Amino acid sequence: MPINLQRKSLLGFIFNMQEAIQYLTEKETIFNLIIEKYGLPILPKRPQGFETLVLLILEQQVSIDSAKATFLKLKAKQPHFNPESLLTFSDEEFRNIGVSRQKTSYIKALSHSIINNHIDLESLATKSSEQVREELIKIKGIGHWTIDIYLMFSLQVPDILPLGDIAVVNTIKELLDIHDKQEMENYVSKWSPHKSVATYLLWHYYLSKRNRKVSY
């Protein structure tokens, strides 16, 4: 099956929330408990492309709300918001709106990769998750967490569970009493092919328990 057709068929899994929820609740009692207490999660969606990857870089190791505020300041300064325009922005200008030196270097590395045709972001939607990961991981500052979230939010891949995400890991520790990363990876394999919806349920629990709401 061609990759683009395969991707379309996979999309059916994540959009069929009822099917995913039924599957997961049959496999795992904690999902029943989450839904009974907090209801159903939302399914995040973000546009594909440069802006989302910049936002994900800003979100690394900080809250979504904090990163979004910085992102909006950056967009206000750079309304065209493309790789060329962000490369004209000085390190000091980045710093003045709250972007660290390290994340500035990551944003510039992504910009250079696009301008120099080392990566074609538009083509990622036609590729497998493994191919997307292989291409993005080559860019400085883009690690597995960033790739996982991009696959989930932008490419709507249905079977991703980011064990680099602290909220996911802490929720698994709390609800399943699993503390070893390899053991976690082995355990959550039974949630396939709906691990992305499982992730949204875990986030939903983590945020709801803390009376927090986020806009993805």
Side-chain angles (χ1 to χ4, degrees):
M1 182 186 293
I3 292 296
N4 61 337
L5 293 180
Q6 182 184 44
R7 175 61 56 79
K8 287 180 181 179
S9 69
L10 288 173
L11 287 175
F13 282 116
I14 199 163
F15 289 135
N16 191 340
M17 181 76 154
Q18 184 176 0
E19 178 185 329
I21 293 295
Q22 181 176 347
Y23 180 89
L24 292 168
T25 51
E26 288 174 356
K27 290 282 185 180
E28 192 66 66
T29 57
I30 65 166
F31 294 129
N32 284 296
L33 297 174
I34 292 171
I35 294 167
E36 286 172 8
K37 190 165 187 177
Y38 297 117
L40 294 173
I42 63 170
L43 300 185
K45 181 167 175 58
R46 289 181 180 173
Q48 299 173 27
F50 179 68
E51 284 197 19
T52 291
L53 281 170
V54 171
L55 177 55
L56 287 173
I57 288 171
L58 294 174
E59 286 177 351
Q60 293 170 4
Q61 299 181 322
V62 301
S63 72
I64 287 177
D65 291 338
S66 172
K68 191 171 184 178
T70 303
F71 178 75
L72 292 175
K73 290 177 186 176
L74 184 55
K75 284 204 74 173
K77 293 285 186 180
Q78 291 288 347
H80 296 299
F81 211 93
N82 55 44
E84 291 81 5
S85 68
L86 290 194
L87 284 176
T88 68
F89 218 44
S90 70
D91 289 4
E92 183 179 0
E93 287 173 304
F94 273 109
R95 187 168 59 252
N96 287 341
I97 60 170
V99 183
S100 69
R101 180 180 300 177
Q102 187 177 50
K103 289 184 179 180
T104 295
S105 71
Y106 296 167
I107 291 169
K108 291 189 174 183
L110 172 62
S111 300
H112 279 298
S113 293
I114 294 168
I115 289 171
N116 294 326
N117 296 316
H118 294 157
I119 192 166
D120 176 8
L121 297 184
E122 290 185 6
S123 72
L124 297 183
T126 67
K127 296 177 179 177
S128 69
S129 299
E130 292 74 19
Q131 289 172 315
V132 172
R133 193 176 300 277
E134 286 174 6
E135 292 195 28
L136 286 175
I137 201 71
K138 295 175 184 177
I139 302 171
K140 178 185 176 184
I142 295 185
H144 291 293
W145 177 86
T146 302
I147 297 167
D148 284 342
I149 305 304
Y150 190 78
L151 286 167
M152 293 168 67
F153 286 17
S154 298
L155 299 181
Q156 298 288 288
V157 175
D159 203 30
I160 303 289
L161 194 143
L163 286 178
D165 187 275
I166 191 168
V168 169
V169 169
N170 285 344
T171 303
I172 291 174
K173 288 178 180 179
E174 178 185 345
L175 296 181
L176 294 169
D177 196 26
I178 300 173
H179 298 265
D180 177 76
K181 283 284 183 75
Q182 185 59 56
E183 189 179 346
M184 284 183 193
E185 189 171 337
N186 294 339
Y187 187 90
V188 304
S189 63
K190 69 177 183 177
W191 300 343
S192 184
H194 297 293
K195 287 190 288 187
S196 295
V197 173
T199 301
Y200 300 143
L201 282 162
L202 296 175
W203 278 335
H204 186 48
Y205 173 87
Y206 182 89
L207 293 167
S208 298
K209 186 178 180 183
R210 291 158 178 78
N211 293 315
R212 287 176 53 196
K213 291 185 178 181
V214 298
S215 174
Y216 294 107

